[in-house]
Amino acid sequence: MVTVVAFWVWLRVRVCDLRSQDGEAGDVPGWVMVTVMTAGLVVALFAVFRGAIIGAVQDAISNVVSGTRG
């Protein structure tokens, strides 16, 4: 999880360093901010509901493997 956060920080820094063709410093594009905020929301939700998510996925996989319906 630390690697994902480090990647998004690195990406934000890289995007902030980009310059437009006319030499003016640009702001962080909207799509980058949406992506970073979405990743943060996913990490926060996973941190809170980790047990429930893991349990649901394991139940789904075991139902597929055993051929039963829940």
Side-chain angles (χ1 to χ4, degrees):
M1 182 155 45
V2 173
T3 305
V4 173
V5 173
F7 170 75
W8 288 115
V9 170
W10 172 84
L11 181 63
R12 184 178 186 286
V13 169
R14 293 293 295 166
V15 169
C16 288
D17 286 343
L18 294 177
R19 304 275 183 200
S20 62
Q21 290 182 355
D22 59 359
E24 293 183 19
D27 196 7
V28 177
W31 65 268
V32 174
M33 290 305 298
V34 169
T35 303
V36 169
M37 290 188 309
T38 302
L41 182 62
V42 168
V43 169
L45 286 174
F46 187 75
V48 173
F49 298 108
R50 182 176 185 209
I53 293 170
I54 291 173
V57 171
Q58 287 176 340
D59 288 344
I61 290 173
S62 66
N63 287 340
V64 169
V65 170
S66 67
T68 63
R69 293 185 124 178

